[in-house]
Structures are given as C-alpha cells and as structure tokens.
Amino acid sequence: ITIIEVIDTCIQRMILHEVFTSSTCGPCKLGNEILDSILLANPGKWTCIKYQMDYPTVGDPYFTDEGEARRSFYAVGGIPSLRVDGGYGNNPKAYVQNDLDLFYNVPAFLDISANFILNGQTIDVSASLESMIDYTSNDLVAFIAVIESRTFNNIGNNYETEFHYVMKKMLPDSIGTPIGPLSAGQPVQINETYTFQGSYVLPPDASSPIDHNVEHSVESFNSLMVVVFVQDTTTLEVLQSAWASNNALVGIEGDLNPNNLFKIIPNPCVHDIRIIYQLPDRCNVTWEIFDYLGRLVIEGEIADYNAGLYENTLSVDIL
C-alpha cells in the first residue's frame, strides 16, 4: 500500500545562500563575483549570509566564533564553499542559473514574516512562523542572522575591495532558537533583542576575533539587514528563509501598496546612492529622483519585481 499525501497549498521559496569565504582566500574573489552576479540577476528569489573565515594565512578580520560554528555545522573543509538551503556544498564559482532555478522551484510550506527595528546600537527582531503542513521533527531551529550589506575595512590580500552580506551577529547565538515540531495553521512567534556593545573595532586579523561583550565590527548601522531561516539540524534542510523588513524605513509614495518600504543611503547625497526597498507584492517599479531645485536628476527603468527585499546602487551627480 502506497500512501500519497496531497497538499493543495504552498508558498514561494526564498532560497538561502550561506557562503564561507575570506579576504585572504584567492579563489574566494571569483566565487563571490560569480555568485553575486547570479543573485543580482534574480531579485526577490533569495537570501544570503556570508561568513568570513579565519584561514588561509591570517584570515579575515571579520571572522567570528559564530561563523566558525556554522562552518563546523556543515563540516566545511575548505573555502570558498556555498551551501544552498542546507545542501549543494560546492565552490560558488560552479553555481549557475539552472542551480538557482532548481532550488527556487522546490515548494515551500512555511511562511516567515519578519521585521526589525534599529534604535542606536540596539536591534529588535520579531518573526512569525506559520506552517501549512505538520512538521514532526524535533530538530527544527529558527536562526536569525544580522548582516551588513556592504563592508570595506576587512580588505585582505585577494584583491576584493568590498564584501557583501557579511554576518555580524546571530541571535541569540549560533545555536538559534529550537522550535520543535510545527503544526499546520499554528503560528510560532520569535522575538530577539540585541545591543551591539562598545565602539567599532577592526581586529588585526582572525586570531583576535571581535569580543561581542565589549565591542562590535559594524561599519555602518544603516547597512544592517536581517535574515531569518528555519532549518532541520539533523537533515540540514532549510524549510524557508526571509529578509526581515526594516520598520524604520519610510513609506513609498504613489500607487504602490502603502506597506512598501523605502530607504536611501546616504540622504542627502551627492554622488553614489544606495536604494533599499521592500515589496510585499509583485509590482512594477521605476525611479524618479529630483534635486533640491526640483530638477529631474535620474529616472530608472521600469521593472516587474516579485515580492522581496531589493537594493540598487545609482550613480548621480548633483551640483
């Protein structure tokens, strides 16, 4: 007798990419460039966390014990190494569009809705997890990773000049929050608060990692982002991931959903600017940026984007 379970509801998967890398690793530069190009070409389909490692040689100064814990969790033996939804396990330079498509098309049955608020150096994260099916595993864990979207100060000897989605802190730690079995239709709420201690410190190398009790390595608190994901720590399967919406972002004007979120860094600006925005629904997006005199400075192309968190960098010259 074969029992077939038919499920009539699922949710779009957000693919989690976990990268083990270092600014002292020559091959890591190419791996990061190839992966970043694929992610850029697939907005709204993924989340990403990069763990800077303590090797080769002196390692990356943004190495942390929590990143090492994730490396040990996957038994990563060498870098660069990419884990996708807990699987894959190859050099990111081998990751191609077809790989992303295969992961993206796997149905997900867990919805994650998350938000964060940053007040000074304190970050508050809340997440609601709602399953559409019963998960009987006792080994399900909710993880929260606070990442910095772009860093520069950890330049090493591999010719990378900037680094993306660098993990700064896991909440409450790298062990995460055990959530046990999940029952369909019964939401689970996760709330975490963390204050980055002291002042910014750039360690000389990975042999003296940041001591979270007295210091931090956040280059810009405006660049912080949050990834929430749920993983079976026995099978390593990631059930779902999500970007947390920044509740401090301002609403977009116009005919878009009023719950959309938008932020410009820096503001005001003179040259390059970063635009970060959250779309809860699929919609068309265009840019019109004006200077203080009301002159149109730049107009972006219209794009049809799925729901998700997006970031664009624009080059402008405002005289």
Side-chain angles (χ1 to χ4, degrees):
I1 298 175
T2 301
I3 299 176
I4 301 176
E5 184 179 7
V6 178
I7 302 171
D8 60 2
T9 303
C10 65
I11 190 169
Q12 180 58 61
R13 177 173 296 275
M14 287 284 283
I15 315 166
L16 173 65
H17 298 79
E18 295 178 275
V19 187
F20 298 87
T21 181
S22 173
S23 61
T24 61
C25 162
C28 290
K29 180 177 186 294
L30 178 60
N32 282 325
E33 290 172 347
I34 290 177
L35 176 63
D36 287 354
S37 68
I38 293 175
L39 298 183
L40 183 63
N42 292 271
K45 296 182 178 181
W46 50 269
T47 56
C48 186
I49 306 168
K50 294 189 178 182
Y51 309 100
Q52 309 302 115
M53 292 286 97
D54 60 342
Y55 64 96
T57 64
V58 298
D60 195 294
Y62 286 161
F63 165 78
T64 69
D65 293 338
E66 293 178 331
E68 169 63 17
R70 290 300 289 176
R71 185 204 67 79
S72 297
F73 175 77
Y74 286 118
V76 171
I79 59 174
S81 183
L82 169 65
R83 293 299 188 271
V84 185
D85 279 345
Y88 191 71
N90 293 327
N91 189 318
K93 76 175 184 179
Y95 194 60
V96 296
Q97 181 66 48
N98 186 61
D99 293 321
L100 185 144
D101 292 339
L102 289 174
F103 283 106
Y104 187 68
N105 290 328
V106 175
F109 303 99
L110 178 66
D111 186 24
I112 300 178
S113 176
N115 299 275
F116 76 92
I117 296 177
L118 187 65
N119 183 9
Q121 293 186 186
T122 297
I123 189 167
D124 293 289
V125 182
S126 62
S128 177
L129 320 173
E130 183 169 359
S131 179
M132 299 174 182
I133 62 174
D134 292 335
Y135 285 102
T136 59
S137 172
N138 291 309
D139 302 315
L140 299 182
V141 176
F143 293 94
I144 299 174
V146 180
I147 65 175
E148 193 164 1
S149 62
R150 183 175 303 176
T151 67
F152 302 92
N153 295 346
N154 55 317
I155 291 175
N157 59 7
N158 73 343
Y159 300 103
E160 285 185 272
T161 58
E162 64 179 65
F163 306 84
H164 304 147
Y165 312 113
V166 176
M167 192 277 292
K168 293 296 179 178
K169 187 71 181 70
M170 300 195 74
L171 308 183
D173 49 36
S174 59
I175 298 175
T177 303
I179 56 176
L182 293 175
S183 299
Q186 296 185 13
V188 174
Q189 188 71 27
I190 305 292
N191 297 288
E192 291 290 343
T193 297
Y194 177 75
T195 299
F196 288 91
Q197 299 298 310
S199 302
Y200 171 82
V201 170
L202 177 66
D205 54 49
S207 66
S208 303
I210 283 292
D211 182 351
H212 292 297
N213 293 316
V214 297
E215 59 196 10
H216 68 83
S217 66
V218 178
E219 293 182 15
S220 172
F221 281 91
N222 284 332
S223 296
L224 291 186
M225 304 168 73
V226 176
V227 177
V228 179
F229 64 99
V230 172
Q231 185 171 34
D232 188 312
T233 56
T234 297
T235 67
L236 307 188
E237 176 190 4
V238 173
L239 306 186
Q240 181 64 295
S241 70
W243 294 107
S245 297
N246 185 347
N247 280 353
L249 301 183
V250 300
I252 295 177
E253 296 182 356
D255 57 359
L256 298 178
N257 188 307
N259 292 323
N260 291 340
L261 300 169
F262 182 83
K263 190 172 187 179
I264 292 177
I265 303 172
N267 186 16
C269 66
V270 177
H271 298 297
D272 290 350
I273 59 173
R274 292 169 49 224
I275 301 177
I276 303 172
Y277 51 103
Q278 177 87 26
L279 302 179
D281 302 295
R282 182 169 182 167
C283 62
N284 289 327
V285 177
T286 187
W287 304 114
E288 288 185 347
I289 298 177
F290 297 84
D291 65 12
Y292 288 114
L293 299 178
R295 299 174 299 189
L296 181 63
V297 176
I298 186 171
E299 184 175 6
E301 296 181 359
I302 296 176
D304 187 16
Y305 284 167
N306 291 321
L309 185 70
Y310 298 86
E311 178 179 337
N312 296 99
T313 298
L314 303 178
S315 294
V316 298
D317 285 303
I318 302 176
L319 302 178

PDB file of all heavy atoms in Angstrom, residues 4 31 54 80 97 111 113 160 164 175 189 217 248 256 261 292 318:
ATOM      1  N   ILE A   4      -0.172   8.444  -0.520  1.00  0.00           N
ATOM      2  CA  ILE A   4       0.229   9.693  -1.168  1.00  0.00           C
ATOM      3  C   ILE A   4      -0.467  10.850  -0.465  1.00  0.00           C
ATOM      4  O   ILE A   4      -1.695  10.889  -0.371  1.00  0.00           O
ATOM      5  CB  ILE A   4      -0.140   9.686  -2.670  1.00  0.00           C
ATOM      6  CG1 ILE A   4       0.560   8.510  -3.378  1.00  0.00           C
ATOM      7  CG2 ILE A   4       0.238  11.016  -3.316  1.00  0.00           C
ATOM      8  CD1 ILE A   4       0.171   8.379  -4.835  1.00  0.00           C
ATOM      9  N   GLY A  31      34.711  33.359  -6.706  1.00  0.00           N
ATOM     10  CA  GLY A  31      33.481  32.733  -6.236  1.00  0.00           C
ATOM     11  C   GLY A  31      32.433  33.748  -5.842  1.00  0.00           C
ATOM     12  O   GLY A  31      31.251  33.618  -6.191  1.00  0.00           O
ATOM     13  N   ASP A  54      38.681  32.230   9.199  1.00  0.00           N
ATOM     14  CA  ASP A  54      39.976  32.529   9.812  1.00  0.00           C
ATOM     15  C   ASP A  54      41.138  31.869   9.073  1.00  0.00           C
ATOM     16  O   ASP A  54      42.205  31.661   9.655  1.00  0.00           O
ATOM     17  CB  ASP A  54      39.979  32.095  11.268  1.00  0.00           C
ATOM     18  CG  ASP A  54      39.717  30.601  11.443  1.00  0.00           C
ATOM     19  OD1 ASP A  54      39.208  29.963  10.507  1.00  0.00           O
ATOM     20  OD2 ASP A  54      40.029  30.074  12.538  1.00  0.00           O
ATOM     21  N   PRO A  80      36.564  28.775  -1.027  1.00  0.00           N
ATOM     22  CA  PRO A  80      35.175  29.168  -0.789  1.00  0.00           C
ATOM     23  C   PRO A  80      34.230  27.977  -0.849  1.00  0.00           C
ATOM     24  O   PRO A  80      34.481  27.013  -1.579  1.00  0.00           O
ATOM     25  CB  PRO A  80      34.886  30.149  -1.928  1.00  0.00           C
ATOM     26  CG  PRO A  80      35.763  29.676  -3.041  1.00  0.00           C
ATOM     27  CD  PRO A  80      37.025  29.200  -2.368  1.00  0.00           C
ATOM     28  N   GLN A  97      22.769  29.499 -13.174  1.00  0.00           N
ATOM     29  CA  GLN A  97      21.358  29.860 -13.160  1.00  0.00           C
ATOM     30  C   GLN A  97      20.457  28.643 -12.991  1.00  0.00           C
ATOM     31  O   GLN A  97      19.450  28.677 -12.271  1.00  0.00           O
ATOM     32  CB  GLN A  97      20.995  30.605 -14.438  1.00  0.00           C
ATOM     33  CG  GLN A  97      19.538  31.052 -14.517  1.00  0.00           C
ATOM     34  CD  GLN A  97      19.182  32.110 -13.487  1.00  0.00           C
ATOM     35  OE1 GLN A  97      19.893  33.082 -13.329  1.00  0.00           O
ATOM     36  NE2 GLN A  97      18.077  31.919 -12.771  1.00  0.00           N
ATOM     37  N   ASP A 111       5.698  29.782   5.999  1.00  0.00           N
ATOM     38  CA  ASP A 111       5.686  31.216   5.735  1.00  0.00           C
ATOM     39  C   ASP A 111       6.404  31.924   6.881  1.00  0.00           C
ATOM     40  O   ASP A 111       6.105  31.687   8.054  1.00  0.00           O
ATOM     41  CB  ASP A 111       4.246  31.718   5.620  1.00  0.00           C
ATOM     42  CG  ASP A 111       4.173  33.167   5.203  1.00  0.00           C
ATOM     43  OD1 ASP A 111       5.131  33.658   4.574  1.00  0.00           O
ATOM     44  OD2 ASP A 111       3.166  33.831   5.520  1.00  0.00           O
ATOM     45  N   SER A 113       7.286  35.698   8.280  1.00  0.00           N
ATOM     46  CA  SER A 113       7.072  37.145   8.222  1.00  0.00           C
ATOM     47  C   SER A 113       7.897  37.763   9.340  1.00  0.00           C
ATOM     48  O   SER A 113       7.710  37.430  10.516  1.00  0.00           O
ATOM     49  CB  SER A 113       5.594  37.475   8.399  1.00  0.00           C
ATOM     50  OG  SER A 113       5.389  38.872   8.433  1.00  0.00           O
ATOM     51  N   GLU A 160      39.861  41.655  -3.373  1.00  0.00           N
ATOM     52  CA  GLU A 160      38.479  42.098  -3.193  1.00  0.00           C
ATOM     53  C   GLU A 160      38.512  43.448  -2.489  1.00  0.00           C
ATOM     54  O   GLU A 160      39.262  43.641  -1.528  1.00  0.00           O
ATOM     55  CB  GLU A 160      37.676  41.103  -2.364  1.00  0.00           C
ATOM     56  CG  GLU A 160      37.282  39.841  -3.102  1.00  0.00           C
ATOM     57  CD  GLU A 160      36.382  38.950  -2.266  1.00  0.00           C
ATOM     58  OE1 GLU A 160      36.909  38.115  -1.498  1.00  0.00           O
ATOM     59  OE2 GLU A 160      35.140  39.081  -2.385  1.00  0.00           O
ATOM     60  N   HIS A 164      29.954  41.674   0.596  1.00  0.00           N
ATOM     61  CA  HIS A 164      28.506  41.795   0.686  1.00  0.00           C
ATOM     62  C   HIS A 164      27.915  40.760   1.651  1.00  0.00           C
ATOM     63  O   HIS A 164      28.391  39.635   1.720  1.00  0.00           O
ATOM     64  CB  HIS A 164      27.870  41.615  -0.690  1.00  0.00           C
ATOM     65  CG  HIS A 164      28.405  42.558  -1.714  1.00  0.00           C
ATOM     66  ND1 HIS A 164      28.530  42.240  -3.044  1.00  0.00           N
ATOM     67  CD2 HIS A 164      28.867  43.836  -1.597  1.00  0.00           C
ATOM     68  CE1 HIS A 164      29.028  43.253  -3.706  1.00  0.00           C
ATOM     69  NE2 HIS A 164      29.248  44.240  -2.852  1.00  0.00           N
ATOM     70  N   ILE A 175      23.499  28.878  17.945  1.00  0.00           N
ATOM     71  CA  ILE A 175      22.666  27.706  18.215  1.00  0.00           C
ATOM     72  C   ILE A 175      21.235  27.947  17.767  1.00  0.00           C
ATOM     73  O   ILE A 175      20.502  27.020  17.426  1.00  0.00           O
ATOM     74  CB  ILE A 175      22.710  27.345  19.714  1.00  0.00           C
ATOM     75  CG1 ILE A 175      24.142  26.978  20.116  1.00  0.00           C
ATOM     76  CG2 ILE A 175      21.762  26.215  20.050  1.00  0.00           C
ATOM     77  CD1 ILE A 175      24.320  26.732  21.600  1.00  0.00           C
ATOM     78  N   GLN A 189       5.864  32.493  17.310  1.00  0.00           N
ATOM     79  CA  GLN A 189       6.443  33.830  17.347  1.00  0.00           C
ATOM     80  C   GLN A 189       7.842  33.783  17.947  1.00  0.00           C
ATOM     81  O   GLN A 189       8.068  33.151  18.984  1.00  0.00           O
ATOM     82  CB  GLN A 189       5.560  34.774  18.162  1.00  0.00           C
ATOM     83  CG  GLN A 189       5.977  36.234  18.111  1.00  0.00           C
ATOM     84  CD  GLN A 189       5.708  36.876  16.759  1.00  0.00           C
ATOM     85  OE1 GLN A 189       4.808  36.453  16.035  1.00  0.00           O
ATOM     86  NE2 GLN A 189       6.488  37.881  16.411  1.00  0.00           N
ATOM     87  N   SER A 217      31.918  45.173  15.190  1.00  0.00           N
ATOM     88  CA  SER A 217      32.632  45.416  13.934  1.00  0.00           C
ATOM     89  C   SER A 217      31.694  45.940  12.851  1.00  0.00           C
ATOM     90  O   SER A 217      31.945  45.740  11.663  1.00  0.00           O
ATOM     91  CB  SER A 217      33.317  44.128  13.449  1.00  0.00           C
ATOM     92  OG  SER A 217      32.350  43.148  13.104  1.00  0.00           O
ATOM     93  N   ALA A 248      11.905  50.874  10.259  1.00  0.00           N
ATOM     94  CA  ALA A 248      12.311  52.276  10.301  1.00  0.00           C
ATOM     95  C   ALA A 248      12.304  52.912   8.924  1.00  0.00           C
ATOM     96  O   ALA A 248      12.434  54.120   8.787  1.00  0.00           O
ATOM     97  CB  ALA A 248      13.702  52.412  10.915  1.00  0.00           C
ATOM     98  N   LEU A 256       1.682  52.452  -5.206  1.00  0.00           N
ATOM     99  CA  LEU A 256       2.095  51.146  -4.723  1.00  0.00           C
ATOM    100  C   LEU A 256       1.409  50.847  -3.399  1.00  0.00           C
ATOM    101  O   LEU A 256       0.801  51.711  -2.770  1.00  0.00           O
ATOM    102  CB  LEU A 256       3.613  51.108  -4.544  1.00  0.00           C
ATOM    103  CG  LEU A 256       4.443  51.316  -5.808  1.00  0.00           C
ATOM    104  CD1 LEU A 256       5.925  51.293  -5.444  1.00  0.00           C
ATOM    105  CD2 LEU A 256       4.142  50.268  -6.847  1.00  0.00           C
ATOM    106  N   LEU A 261       8.230  49.614   1.622  1.00  0.00           N
ATOM    107  CA  LEU A 261       9.230  50.325   2.411  1.00  0.00           C
ATOM    108  C   LEU A 261      10.371  50.772   1.527  1.00  0.00           C
ATOM    109  O   LEU A 261      10.698  50.124   0.543  1.00  0.00           O
ATOM    110  CB  LEU A 261       9.754  49.417   3.522  1.00  0.00           C
ATOM    111  CG  LEU A 261       8.687  48.929   4.507  1.00  0.00           C
ATOM    112  CD1 LEU A 261       9.251  47.839   5.397  1.00  0.00           C
ATOM    113  CD2 LEU A 261       8.164  50.074   5.352  1.00  0.00           C
ATOM    114  N   TYR A 292      17.327  69.452  -5.076  1.00  0.00           N
ATOM    115  CA  TYR A 292      16.638  70.412  -4.215  1.00  0.00           C
ATOM    116  C   TYR A 292      15.886  71.477  -4.996  1.00  0.00           C
ATOM    117  O   TYR A 292      14.984  72.132  -4.466  1.00  0.00           O
ATOM    118  CB  TYR A 292      17.644  71.080  -3.275  1.00  0.00           C
ATOM    119  CG  TYR A 292      18.161  70.179  -2.188  1.00  0.00           C
ATOM    120  CD1 TYR A 292      19.497  69.793  -2.153  1.00  0.00           C
ATOM    121  CD2 TYR A 292      17.314  69.706  -1.191  1.00  0.00           C
ATOM    122  CE1 TYR A 292      19.974  68.956  -1.158  1.00  0.00           C
ATOM    123  CE2 TYR A 292      17.787  68.876  -0.191  1.00  0.00           C
ATOM    124  CZ  TYR A 292      19.112  68.499  -0.175  1.00  0.00           C
ATOM    125  OH  TYR A 292      19.584  67.673   0.806  1.00  0.00           O
ATOM    126  N   ILE A 318      24.916  65.592  -8.398  1.00  0.00           N
ATOM    127  CA  ILE A 318      24.048  66.714  -8.070  1.00  0.00           C
ATOM    128  C   ILE A 318      24.926  67.911  -7.740  1.00  0.00           C
ATOM    129  O   ILE A 318      25.708  67.881  -6.785  1.00  0.00           O
ATOM    130  CB  ILE A 318      23.128  66.378  -6.888  1.00  0.00           C
ATOM    131  CG1 ILE A 318      22.283  65.141  -7.229  1.00  0.00           C
ATOM    132  CG2 ILE A 318      22.253  67.567  -6.515  1.00  0.00           C
ATOM    133  CD1 ILE A 318      21.408  64.671  -6.093  1.00  0.00           C
TER     134      ILE A 318
END
